[in-house]
């Protein structure tokens, strides 16, 4: 097995963990949290699951980026980022940058204060969190689908 194949395997596994976990939180955990009789219990459920997933995704997102950049460098694929038909390459980087920013800048900066403020309106907080998760999941689905189709020459 060559190094690019190994990097691709790490890349795909990291993305499956990252986006699959986000899909689970968006499609299962948040609806369950919002359906609880007591919104405070729903918020506690969300915090519990997110508290377990967050440290994991703080590994898988950087691993996805490192393996992706490694492959781009190793394959000298940088010129492909300038080809409009290869839009999905830039989209992957932008999505990755968005998640890195959310995970390592936004969440640490405002997450604790947001959760504390949400204790007075847990329903409102869960609604807002769900909206953001749906937006991120939708963008992730478009980019992942485009990347698979583009990698197999089915776009452009």
């Amino acid at each position: 097995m060559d190094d690019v194949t190994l990097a691709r395997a790490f890349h795909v596994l990291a993305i499956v963990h990252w986006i699959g976990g986000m899909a689970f939180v968006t499609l299962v955990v948040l609806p369950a949290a919002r359906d609880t009789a007591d919104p405070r219990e729903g918020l506690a459920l969300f915090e519990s699951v997110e508290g377990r997933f967050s440290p994991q995704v703080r590994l898988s997102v950087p691993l996805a980026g490192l393996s992706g950049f490694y492959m781009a460098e190793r394959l000298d694929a940088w010129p492909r980022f300038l080809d409009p038909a290869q839009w999905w390459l830039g989209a992957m980087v932008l999505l990755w940058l968005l998640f890195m920013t959310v995970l390592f800048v936004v969440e640490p900066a405002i997450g604790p204060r947001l959760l504390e403020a949400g204790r007075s309106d847990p329903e409102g907080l869960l609604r807002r969190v769900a909206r953001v998760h749906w937006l991120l999941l939708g963008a992730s689905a478009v980019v992942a689908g485009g990347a698979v189709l583009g990698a197999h020459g089915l776009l452009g």
Side-chain angles (χ1 to χ4, degrees), residues 10-98:
F10 278 115
H11 192 68
V12 170
L13 289 172
I15 291 167
V16 165
H17 178 266
W18 155 24
I19 296 177
M22 185 181 57
F24 178 74
V25 170
T26 304
L27 301 172
V28 177
V29 176
L30 282 165
R34 293 181 70 194
D35 287 346
T36 58
D38 181 357
R40 287 180 295 271
E41 287 179 19
L43 184 57
L45 169 65
F46 172 72
E47 286 182 82
S48 175
V49 173
E50 193 75 8
R52 290 175 185 258
F53 181 58
S54 192
Q56 295 175 36
V57 80
R58 280 191 165 92
L59 293 174
S60 60
V61 172
L63 179 58
L66 288 171
S67 55
F69 283 108
Y70 178 82
M71 287 186 292
E73 180 64 26
R74 179 71 170 74
L75 297 171
D76 193 27
W78 301 113
R80 293 175 59 195
F81 283 84
L82 300 175
D83 180 357
Q86 305 286 312
W87 63 268
W88 51 275
L89 287 168
M92 284 193 299
V93 173
L94 289 175
L95 186 70
W96 178 80
L97 284 171
L98 174 64

Side-chain angles (χ1 to χ4, degrees), residues 108-141:
I110 67 169
R113 284 182 287 160
L114 192 63
L115 285 173
E116 190 57 40
R119 297 205 194 296
S120 63
D121 181 16
E123 281 182 281
L125 177 62
L126 288 170
R127 190 173 41 255
R128 287 189 300 277
V129 168
R131 280 191 208 126
V132 170
H133 271 76
W134 272 104
L135 179 68
L136 293 172
L137 183 58
S140 298

